[in-house]
Amino acid sequence: PSVLDSFALLSGQLNTLNKVLKHEKTPLLRNQVIIPLVLSPDRDEEIMRQTEGRVPVFSHEVVPDHLRTKPDPEVEEQEKQLITDAARISPDVAQKQIQSLNKMCSNLLEKISKEERESESGGLRQNKQTFNPADTNALVAAVAFGKGLSNRRPPGSGGSVQSGQPGAGAIIAGASGLQQVPMSGAPAQQQPMLAGVQMAQAGQPGK
């Protein structure tokens, strides 16, 4: 009974509202202007919920856009101009333009798809490994630590040099060669000093 009473009350109120709206003295609602009474730059959770998160605030910036019923005057003029230009074109010319536009769009789509395929294939080529990590590690170990290198010396190396000092023969040979090369532009008294230094270094083959 309570539900039926409430339904009867609501039905009577709706009938009264319809009679008021259909009365000849009631102005048409479509001719009325909606005026916002409260504008706030703060975030409104109720508006967020009603607009499903599209309008966070109801401020002076968004009200003209959301309550507008007509486009901007500039847009309206452009739309009228486009309608006038479209009315001047004959159906045959319009069909040709449509076909040419469709052809251009299809060619553009083909180019875009081709570029995408080429970029994907290029990415696959770049990601492909072009070296062997084991060989790289072996080369680095050989250069840095001498790993895997042979201890044998080539024939013809100096026999008088001790085996623990392989670079002494080269140092002595370089020292004797430096003694006999005159230095251009250097004073004569500096040449014996250079020879003495080189002989002192040659006398200590381990340094």
Side-chain angles (χ1 to χ4, degrees), residues 107-172:
N107 292 335
L108 185 60
L109 289 174
E110 289 179 359
K111 289 182 179 180
I112 292 174
S113 60
K114 183 179 179 182
E115 290 291 335
E116 289 179 353
R117 290 194 300 267
E118 289 180 355
S119 63
E120 289 177 358
S121 61
L124 292 176
R125 285 197 299 269
Q126 289 179 359
N127 293 332
K128 186 178 180 181
Q129 195 171 12
T130 57
F131 64 94
N132 189 356
D135 293 345
T136 304
N137 293 333
L139 285 173
V140 171
V143 172
F145 307 109
K147 184 178 179 181
L149 298 179
S150 175
N151 292 328
R152 293 179 300 174
R153 293 198 304 273
S157 60
S160 60
V161 180
Q162 298 178 2
S163 61
Q165 300 171 348
I171 294 175
I172 295 173

Side-chain angles (χ1 to χ4, degrees), residues 26-93:
T26 302
L28 294 175
L29 293 180
R30 70 183 64 181
N31 296 332
Q32 302 299 316
V33 178
I34 299 176
I35 300 176
L37 298 179
V38 178
L39 296 179
S40 174
D42 299 331
R43 183 184 179 91
D44 194 339
E45 297 297 335
E46 183 65 21
I47 293 178
M48 281 282 292
R49 184 183 62 80
Q50 292 180 358
T51 58
E52 298 178 355
R54 292 187 297 271
V55 183
V57 294
F58 201 63
S59 62
H60 298 77
E61 183 179 359
V62 300
V63 163
D65 294 331
H66 290 288
L67 299 183
R68 179 183 289 129
T69 57
K70 292 178 64 177
D72 291 335
E74 295 84 3
V75 177
E76 197 171 4
E77 290 295 331
Q78 292 179 2
E79 188 175 357
K80 289 181 180 178
Q81 185 66 30
L82 291 175
I83 293 173
T84 305
D85 295 342
R88 296 175 183 172
I89 301 176
S90 62
D92 297 337
V93 176

